[in-house]
Amino acid sequence: MVQICGGLFAIVAIVLAIIRVQQNTRDLAIKESGERTGRYLRSAELLGSVRQGEGGSFAPNIESRLGAIYSLGRLAINSAEDYRAVVKVLVSYVRIHAAPEPLLPGSVSGDDTEGGKIRVDVQTAVEILAKPSTHRGVDRPRLDLHNTSLKELELEDADLCGANLSDAKLHHAYLSASNLRGAVLRGAVALRDFERRLPAGCGS
């Protein structure tokens, strides 16, 4: 009887230990999910960061926006759950801030800054978007960058497979060895100004 009771107690202890481990795992997953959500929301908010300039006007706070873009880029790499949402946010950011004409009050058009050259925050966002998904079974949403001003964009070995670049302004863009298989380039300006490669298919 002593041996039987001892065996039962051992079984109960093992079961309780397994339950505790499972509960701790669930709690950790919930905590990590909450941290990712908070990081995502803080970064998304900083994408609209501005600073007051001369005469009371407001200009983009490039430093804060760059920090937010890099933070979202890391989140896209580390979290399969957030990957597609991050890509869509960054695509929207590029569409707004590299538009030939401002789309939102306070935003600056791509043609009105630095002689039309792409802004550094937009350049960085496109660099992150031009990387393929690293998550198994999670495809990157189509990059819809049509009618954007991406003058002097610099990318090397970028994955722009299937991207919509129709009517984009790509004067002096450098896209050496980039994957443009399936990309829509109708009406894009200055296509001869960059090198491109056409591999067998997307993701290769």
Side-chain angles (χ1 to χ4, degrees):
M1 291 295 294
V2 172
Q3 290 178 343
I4 293 173
C5 290
L8 290 175
F9 281 126
I11 292 173
V12 171
I14 291 173
V15 171
L16 291 176
I18 293 173
I19 292 174
R20 283 196 297 271
V21 170
Q22 291 176 337
Q23 183 62 47
N24 290 338
T25 301
R26 285 194 294 268
D27 291 344
L28 180 61
I30 292 172
K31 179 180 178 182
E32 290 178 346
S33 178
E35 290 176 349
R36 289 198 307 270
T37 300
R39 179 177 164 190
Y40 173 83
L41 293 175
R42 288 193 297 272
S43 298
E45 183 177 358
L46 284 174
L47 287 177
S49 179
V50 296
R51 60 158 53 101
Q52 190 169 2
E54 297 180 0
S57 61
F58 290 91
N61 188 330
I62 300 299
E63 293 79 5
S64 294
R65 295 188 184 197
L66 280 174
I69 291 169
Y70 281 121
S71 179
L72 288 172
R74 288 193 298 270
L75 183 61
I77 293 173
N78 297 330
S79 174
E81 297 176 2
D82 299 303
Y83 173 74
R84 291 178 63 87
V86 168
V87 170
K88 291 179 180 179
V89 166
L90 292 180
V91 166
S92 296
Y93 185 83
V94 174
R95 290 285 307 279
I96 291 172
H97 295 283
E101 298 295 336
L103 298 182
L104 292 178
S107 65
V108 182
S109 70
D111 286 345
D112 290 340
T113 59
E114 301 179 24
K117 181 180 178 180
I118 186 171
R119 274 195 348 229
V120 63
D121 53 326
V122 178
Q123 165 77 39
T124 303
V126 176
E127 289 174 1
I128 292 173
L129 290 172
K131 296 178 182 179
S133 172
T134 57
H135 305 291
R136 180 177 299 178
V138 181
D139 295 329
R140 183 185 65 187
R142 187 184 188 194
L143 304 182
D144 185 2
L145 302 176
H146 79 277
N147 195 33
T148 50
S149 182
L150 303 175
K151 297 177 181 179
E152 299 189 38
L153 174 69
E154 294 187 10
L155 294 176
E156 187 170 358
D157 199 26
D159 181 9
L160 295 173
C161 185
N164 183 3
L165 294 169
S166 60
D167 298 316
K169 296 183 179 181
L170 294 164
H171 301 79
H172 308 294
Y174 180 80
L175 301 179
S176 178
S178 293
N179 181 354
L180 291 166
R181 173 66 64 180
V184 179
L185 302 170
R186 182 179 61 255
V189 177
L191 291 180
R192 291 174 296 179
D193 287 345
F194 59 75
E195 304 173 44
R196 55 176 174 160
R197 65 178 173 88
L198 295 176
C202 293
S204 59

